[in-house]
Amino acid sequence: MIVVVGGGLNGLVAGAVLARRGRPVTILDQRPVVGGTAITTEFAPGFHAPTLSHAFGPVAGDVLAALGLDAEALDLVAPDPPVTVIGPAGAAARVCLDDEATGASLRPVSSHDARQWRGFARAMRAIGGVLRSIDRHPPPDLDRPSATDLFRLLGAGRAARGLGRDDLARLLRYVPMAVADVAAEWFESDVMQAAVCALALHGHLAGPWSAGTGLLLLQRVAAEDAPLGRAVTARGGPGAVTARIADVARRAGAVVRTDARVARIETADHRVTGVTLEGGESIAATAVVAAIDPRQVYLDLLPPDVLAPSVRDGMRHYRARGVTMKVNLALDEAPAFTAIGGDARPLAGRVLVVPDVDGLERAFDAAKYGEPSPEPWLDVTVPTVADPSLAPAGRHVMSVVAHFAPRALATGSWDTRRDEVVRAVVDRLEAEAPGLRARIAGTEALTPEDLERRWALPGGHIFHGEMTLDQWWVARPLLGSPGVRGPIGGLVLAGAGTHPGGGLTGWPGLLAARAVLEIPVK
Amino acid sequence: MPARYDAVVIGAGHNGLTAAAYLARAGRSVLVLERRHVVGGAAVTEEIFPGFKYSVCSYVVSLLRPEIIRELDLAAHGLELLPLDGTFTPMPDGNHLWRVNDHARTYREIARHSRLDAEVYDEYGRAMVEMGRFAKDILAMTPPDPFAPRLRDLTAFARLARKFQALPAADRRNQLQLLTLSATDFLDQWFETDVLKATMAASGVIGTFQGVRSPGTAYVLLHHYMGEIDGAFRSWGLSRGGTGQVSQAIASAARAAGAEIRLQTPVERILVSGGTATGVVLDNGDEVSASAVLSSVDPRLTFLGMTGESHLPPEFVEDIRRYKFRGSSGKVNLALDGLPDFTAMPGAGPHLRGAISISPSVDYMERAYDEAKYGRYSRRPYIDMVIPSLTDPTVAPPGKHVMSCFVQYAPYDLVEGSWDDHREAFGDVVVNTIEAYAPGFRDRILHRQVLTPLDLEREFGLSEGNIFQGELSLEQLFFLRPAPGWAGYRTPLRRLYLCGSATHPGGGIMGAPGRNAAAVALGDLT
């Protein structure tokens, strides 16, 4: 038996792929529904929202293939424009799937930026391609690199060389750079600079002037295979996708259990032997796929004596400082953003409501001292534009990710300060979409503390930990104990806290499944 | 005087002089051209106020490569390094932290704040020394080029990778974290005492436009464990006679080997013919021809100022334009009638003999940075003070003292007004900040010299007032310093070399850029 701990996207992908390959699989999730952060919930009578995540990575093509699915089967929606930016003073830019269209939308903002778009998009796609070639393989074993590891490294090196001198220089320079500097190399308008920065900062306790945020930008570009993201959603919301993958797993013979919280991973002779649930039930297993936050795996679920002290110590210092707040609004009428006008199409994608770069930095300043940003920046989508079935006829759901809301508050608790952030979010929205406040029929607000408590995400970090250079690739979650193969025989890590990280791509789950298939069955 | 030299060196800073000394020792005819009336660049001692010798800019010595001291026999040329012992951090609540090289005392002192921190302090020091050993070899090498790699570049990378791979797992992890984490995040893993972390982290941000919470600042912590006075890791020192004495000693070594040094001789431009540098034109119109030109001034001045874009490939010009300076610090030099008396530790004790750091908490440091991000100098700045006259009485009249205050943050670009309007107010902020910790201090000041980033640019030719000739951020280090493909001291023009702090391994009174560049130039000249 293979036990998958955690039924989020990655756990479901791993379980389904293994089941389809004929392995006996049990997927366990502590919550009443599978899907992890990719779920759809009725939060007000008749209104269904993407509870937490409101866009997919998108789910990688290789992952879909391994599941025997395609974009159509999952009813995925690729909005166009995927990203619309509302900047300071009402300036707006549409980033479309087509570069021509994007250029045209940028012309009124800045003719310089309109000219620059094509070059930026080309460079990002090229560099993103190289990073993707790293993302799609397990990181090498530093101590005993296998022939395959060396071959892949050589391949990545060749891909990097293939970029040519200019893009290779960009790749090497951008990784440690502050994203504000990257943005300023290409664009002059506040709205485009802020858009580039916001993409990188999403989910992280970092400001546009923080060094190393260049890597965060490139990771997003690589995962989404688009210069500023794709904002892929699904009819029925993200929960429909994870439910569908759970069905694939069940149909292939996997057992999917909810309300099943694992208390311990059992080991003997440095190999996993199974898991014990809270309540005492034991399930024997030859392999355990842990698709949950890595700190819980190493610090809570495994007995302390099976791990080297350096691993436990390293995991204790693993950084996961959550900064996002989720606000779902039930609306009696569609919102009307002044900067967008009457066109509803942009609302199906992401609408970024951002200040200029200094404003983003100021928002971060508050968070680093443990205060929610007084003027948060927002990542908004209205899923009911593409899928009216999510709300009663003529009504809408607005899904808002707000930054920055630090998990660790300097004063007060999230129970007492939740409403303050909701107010700041609605104020910001009201300023850009006058009349919105009066249309609100219901509100759901989830703080980083809720993420920690209800979704078991320590630190409330949506990516199971920061994806900065020190926690990336061979160092995710820990240098020397990267994801995929854990330090215990038969233990495989599969969550966003392992390579290649968070963002709902399904890659960590697929890499884990492949690693299990390589584990010899005794 | 020959009209033609094997090598002309632009700028008589410590790196230019070092390059000149090595070239001259190899038997080459060398001319060093200096704009100012004194050698040293930013490593200079000047008597601005009668009887008081200020180490005007750079004020401590730690990273000067021991091989340079040895090979140029700098001791024989008058270099004497005096130990600077300890760091004293006064705190606003009257408490303090005073770390010294005496192990037992430092243990007791840190234990006063936290027993756990005292226990881990040694372990931390050992780990950092290990890391320093790894990094030291990188300092000495000419960076390999990943952009148009030849076999020797590839083997150099392979060697580095193997060395990294051979490190024990814990060291590998430390190394990765040092390169990527903020100083605060790195130190948080070891220590709990805020003032200890703040003071240690402060060294990570010196001279950079970064805060103690900015990723990438952990790396500079290492520098403090790489200082090698008399071979002992982690010691800071003063040069007898002031920092300028380091430059004087190197200049003396260069002259002894036959180099000629001309002061008050600014270079107007570099002569280029068919893609090759052939000499320089001086401000007075004289031409000096040379087989090689080594510029120790920064790349902006060298290429955009003295060379001219028309001689350079456009993408290189673009890279140089993008090269970040962003000066973030100022300097206040004081002549004192008597010693400061700190509330946190009254009297003229040995705590005044080392560095005195105004860095009471991590948040204090970070807030100082916050102001600079938006174009204001810190109203409550980080200050690193040294009173060299306590260790070296030759720099002040008997009973009097000089005090060197390194101040951060002072952004080059101000949001309002120019530095000419703010200079004295900035000086007042510094004095008032110290006064708050040492009442009566203001009244002991006999003379005050305030250097803003603008002054550093005007007087010392440091573009935007950056003390390291360009930000020491990861994207401007090693094979990216100063531009991708041109980190090996050569430039797109044949026989034109960079030999200043804008090349690997960067700023500080290290001398490594000068020595490395001279080796490359000598290889080409033969």
Side-chain angles (χ1 to χ4, degrees):
Chain A
M1 175 64 65
I2 296 164
V3 168
V4 178
V5 185
L9 175 67
N10 285 310
L12 293 171
V13 166
V17 170
L18 289 168
R20 278 168 54 82
R21 296 289 289 266
R23 306 295 158 105
V25 173
T26 298
I27 301 172
L28 304 170
D29 197 278
Q30 51 128 3
R31 304 189 69 248
V33 285
V34 293
T37 66
I39 54 172
T40 312
T41 316
E42 184 175 357
F43 69 104
F47 292 89
H48 302 262
T51 308
L52 290 172
S53 313
H54 62 202
F56 282 91
V59 180
D62 291 27
V63 173
L64 293 178
L67 294 171
L69 294 171
D70 56 27
E72 246 167 72
L74 285 178
D75 233 347
L76 296 178
V77 180
D80 191 14
V83 179
T84 303
V85 196
I86 301 178
R94 289 181 189 196
V95 178
C96 307
L97 296 177
D98 174 56
D99 289 343
E100 280 304 321
T102 306
S105 114
L106 289 178
R107 229 160 278 140
V109 177
S110 153
S111 55
H112 169 269
D113 290 0
R115 280 195 306 279
Q116 287 287 87
W117 175 259
R118 188 175 284 277
F120 174 76
R122 188 206 53 72
M124 287 296 126
R125 289 191 184 106
I127 296 169
V130 171
L131 284 193
R132 234 181 351 269
S133 74
I134 293 171
D135 282 356
R136 50 186 302 167
H137 298 300
D141 182 335
L142 283 187
D143 286 307
R144 286 170 300 278
S146 66
T148 319
D149 285 340
L150 292 174
F151 183 74
R152 282 175 187 152
L153 279 178
L154 215 62
R158 217 176 290 127
R161 288 280 299 141
L163 283 175
R165 184 248 180 220
D166 287 355
D167 282 339
L168 176 60
R170 285 190 184 108
L171 170 59
L172 294 174
R173 287 173 55 240
Y174 287 178
V175 163
M177 252 164 81
V179 69
D181 282 326
V182 177
E185 278 190 15
W186 294 97
F187 302 114
E188 61 171 22
S189 68
D190 285 338
V191 61
M192 283 310 285
Q193 290 190 358
V196 172
C197 293
L199 181 74
L201 300 180
H202 191 97
H204 287 91
L205 179 63
W209 292 110
S210 302
T213 43
L215 173 65
L216 304 178
L217 172 72
L218 298 183
Q219 285 169 344
R220 286 291 296 275
V221 168
E224 308 207 13
D225 191 15
L228 281 185
R230 280 187 194 274
V232 171
T233 58
R235 261 173 274 280
V241 172
T242 43
R244 189 69 217 280
I245 298 173
D247 276 346
V248 171
R250 280 195 206 95
R251 257 184 280 132
V255 177
V256 181
R257 289 175 59 177
T258 51
D259 290 312
R261 194 183 181 96
V262 173
R264 278 194 311 278
I265 297 173
E266 305 294 348
T267 65
D269 296 333
H270 244 66
R271 275 200 65 85
V272 295
T273 56
V275 298
T276 301
L277 302 186
E278 267 176 14
E281 182 190 346
S282 290
I283 303 173
T286 51
V288 172
V289 176
I292 57 174
D293 169 275
R295 281 186 297 184
Q296 294 173 74
V297 180
Y298 287 146
L299 299 179
D300 300 340
L301 298 187
L302 282 170
D305 53 339
V306 302
L307 291 173
S310 63
V311 172
R312 290 180 58 81
D313 195 48
M315 277 328 288
R316 263 194 291 268
H317 292 123
Y318 180 75
R319 287 170 314 115
R321 296 175 285 203
V323 285
T324 52
M325 169 109 173
K326 184 68 202 295
V327 179
N328 298 315
L329 300 173
L331 300 178
D332 285 335
E333 254 180 273
F337 285 92
T338 314
I340 295 177
D343 189 0
R345 278 176 308 163
L347 301 177
R350 284 189 139 111
V351 178
L352 298 176
V353 179
V354 288
D356 62 3
V357 171
D358 274 357
L360 288 172
E361 183 72 25
R362 285 201 174 88
F364 162 64
D365 281 349
K368 73 185 176 185
Y369 300 115
E371 289 294 319
S373 311
E375 287 183 37
W377 62 272
L378 313 175
D379 172 354
V380 181
T381 186
V382 182
T384 38
V385 169
D387 181 6
S389 74
L390 293 170
R395 303 198 176 183
H396 286 277
V397 167
M398 182 184 262
S399 167
V400 185
V401 179
H403 287 81
F404 298 90
R407 165 67 187 91
L409 288 168
T411 52
S413 74
W414 271 114
D415 288 333
T416 59
R417 300 196 69 177
R418 179 194 317 256
D419 294 344
E420 171 191 333
V421 177
V422 173
R423 257 196 315 276
V425 168
V426 173
D427 284 351
R428 193 77 194 80
L429 288 169
E430 176 74 22
E432 299 298 341
L436 182 116
R437 186 181 283 119
R439 298 176 192 179
I440 298 174
T443 306
E444 177 184 41
L446 298 163
T447 69
E449 193 174 54
D450 295 325
L451 262 71
E452 180 171 297
R453 286 191 192 152
R454 291 165 53 186
W455 278 269
L457 294 171
H461 202 288
I462 57 172
F463 298 135
H464 294 199
E466 276 145 68
M467 286 163 64
T468 42
L469 203 48
D470 58 297
Q471 296 188 163
W472 180 61
W473 194 41
V474 293
R476 190 164 188 88
L478 204 61
L479 193 66
S481 282
V484 196
R485 272 174 231 94
I488 308 287
L491 175 66
V492 172
L493 267 64
T498 60
H499 176 79
L504 296 185
T505 59
W507 267 119
L510 180 60
L511 293 181
R514 287 182 186 159
V516 171
L517 294 170
E518 282 169 20
I519 295 176
V521 181
K522 276 212 268 193
Chain B
M1 178 181 74
R4 176 179 179 81
Y5 293 83
D6 291 332
V8 162
V9 178
I10 304 173
H14 73 284
N15 276 315
L17 293 168
T18 301
Y22 277 97
L23 289 164
R25 282 161 48 90
R28 302 293 169 169
S29 61
V30 182
L31 173 66
V32 183
L33 298 167
E34 169 59 41
R35 191 173 54 94
R36 298 189 73 227
H37 61 283
V38 56
V39 299
V44 66
T45 308
E46 290 185 66
E47 194 172 323
I48 304 287
F49 185 62
F52 295 85
K53 292 179 185 153
Y54 292 153
S55 292
V56 180
C57 302
S58 184
Y59 57 103
V60 284
V61 185
S62 132
L63 296 172
L64 187 58
R65 308 301 308 144
E67 60 269 23
I68 294 177
I69 299 180
R70 206 167 51 237
E71 287 159 3
L72 299 182
D73 198 9
L74 294 183
H77 291 281
L79 178 69
E80 186 184 348
L81 295 177
L82 308 167
L84 180 71
D85 188 13
T87 304
F88 169 66
T89 312
M91 296 160 70
D93 64 358
N95 200 344
H96 67 264
L97 175 72
W98 182 29
R99 290 178 296 141
V100 290
N101 281 351
D102 180 329
H103 178 263
R105 281 178 63 185
T106 298
Y107 178 92
R108 283 198 304 275
E109 169 68 3
I110 296 175
R112 219 164 50 73
H113 294 271
S114 155
R115 185 152 295 281
L116 284 174
D117 284 1
E119 296 294 343
V120 85
Y121 191 71
D122 274 349
E123 197 190 320
Y124 173 81
R126 273 195 302 276
M128 294 301 270
V129 168
E130 279 312 308
M131 299 300 96
R133 274 185 226 290
F134 182 78
K136 232 165 54 113
D137 295 340
I138 294 179
L139 291 189
M141 75 193 287
T142 294
D145 182 9
F147 301 101
R150 280 170 293 182
L151 185 62
R152 86 174 115 103
D153 297 310
L154 295 173
T155 48
F157 279 120
R159 215 168 38 237
L160 277 179
R162 259 205 307 278
K163 257 189 89 171
F164 181 77
Q165 198 200 356
L167 288 175
D171 288 359
R172 277 205 299 249
R173 196 162 153 264
N174 284 334
Q175 199 72 47
L176 176 73
Q177 293 194 335
L178 280 170
L179 278 175
T180 55
L181 286 192
S182 75
T184 301
D185 282 338
F186 185 77
L187 292 167
D188 273 345
Q189 302 182 30
W190 296 83
F191 304 108
E192 59 183 16
T193 307
D194 195 39
V195 63
L196 177 66
K197 287 187 284 193
T199 304
M200 294 172 94
S203 66
V205 295
I206 282 186
T208 74
F209 206 115
Q210 297 283 337
V212 290
R213 287 207 173 95
S214 304
T217 51
Y219 165 75
V220 190
L221 292 170
L222 253 196
H223 274 189
H224 289 248
Y225 290 82
M226 290 195 290
E228 281 180 82
I229 294 174
D230 299 328
F233 270 85
R234 204 184 121 235
S235 2
W236 289 90
L238 296 170
S239 158
R240 186 183 294 283
T243 302
Q245 197 54 40
V246 176
S247 311
Q248 295 291 351
I250 303 172
S252 164
R255 283 198 197 92
E260 185 186 334
I261 301 170
R262 265 191 245 167
L263 301 174
Q264 292 178 296
T265 313
V267 171
E268 201 219 84
R269 63 194 167 86
I270 294 166
L271 284 167
V272 180
S273 166
T276 302
T278 58
V280 297
V281 181
L282 307 181
D283 250 14
N284 63 13
D286 290 355
E287 289 191 9
V288 180
S289 50
S291 310
V293 177
L294 288 84
S295 173
S296 69
V297 302
D298 70 47
R300 184 182 287 178
L301 294 174
T302 303
F303 297 110
L304 307 183
M306 297 178 185
T307 309
E309 295 172 23
S310 56
H311 295 294
L312 297 163
E315 66 272 13
F316 179 76
V317 171
E318 194 54 37
D319 287 339
I320 296 301
R321 281 224 187 86
R322 246 191 325 243
Y323 182 75
K324 291 195 294 271
F325 289 95
R326 294 186 187 160
S328 60
S329 53
K331 185 80 193 293
V332 174
N333 295 309
L334 301 170
L336 299 177
D337 196 2
L339 290 166
D341 193 12
F342 286 94
T343 313
M345 204 177 206
H351 60 291
L352 300 181
R353 287 174 166 269
I356 304 164
S357 180
I358 304 294
S359 50
S361 70
V362 170
D363 277 359
Y364 177 98
M365 296 293 298
E366 185 69 15
R367 287 186 198 280
Y369 167 60
D370 284 347
E371 289 179 285
K373 284 193 299 195
Y374 309 111
R376 291 185 190 84
Y377 59 84
S378 313
R379 287 334 192 238
R380 284 279 170 269
Y382 159 58
I383 309 176
D384 187 35
M385 290 170 267
V386 172
I387 310 173
S389 47
L390 278 172
T391 309
D392 172 14
T394 66
V395 295
K400 316 265 192 236
H401 291 281
V402 291
M403 186 185 212
S404 170
C405 308
F406 173 86
V407 191
Q408 203 155 313
Y409 296 81
Y412 175 78
D413 282 316
L414 291 173
V415 71
E416 281 165 10
S418 92
W419 272 111
D420 287 324
D421 312 323
H422 289 287
R423 185 176 297 103
E424 293 313 315
F426 173 64
D428 291 343
V429 159
V430 174
V431 171
N432 293 342
T433 302
I434 302 171
E435 173 83 19
Y437 292 89
F441 173 73
R442 194 182 295 121
D443 300 331
R444 293 181 190 165
I445 299 172
L446 299 171
H447 174 260
R448 169 172 109 177
Q449 179 194 32
V450 181
L451 293 169
T452 69
L454 185 65
D455 301 318
L456 294 174
E457 177 177 79
R458 283 181 188 156
E459 189 58 33
F460 299 93
L462 295 167
S463 290
E464 296 184 26
N466 186 300
I467 63 170
F468 297 138
Q469 285 193 353
E471 273 270 64
L472 288 181
S473 47
L474 219 46
E475 75 273 18
Q476 299 196 159
L477 288 178
F478 203 42
F479 52 71
L480 296 170
R481 192 171 186 87
W486 299 105
Y489 309 99
R490 292 191 183 90
T491 70
L493 297 178
R494 280 185 298 280
R495 298 295 169 91
L496 174 63
Y497 306 86
L498 284 182
C499 65
S501 296
T503 58
H504 176 77
I509 309 181
M510 240 184 294
R515 182 175 181 266
N516 291 355
V520 171
L522 278 171
D524 291 351
L525 283 172
T526 44

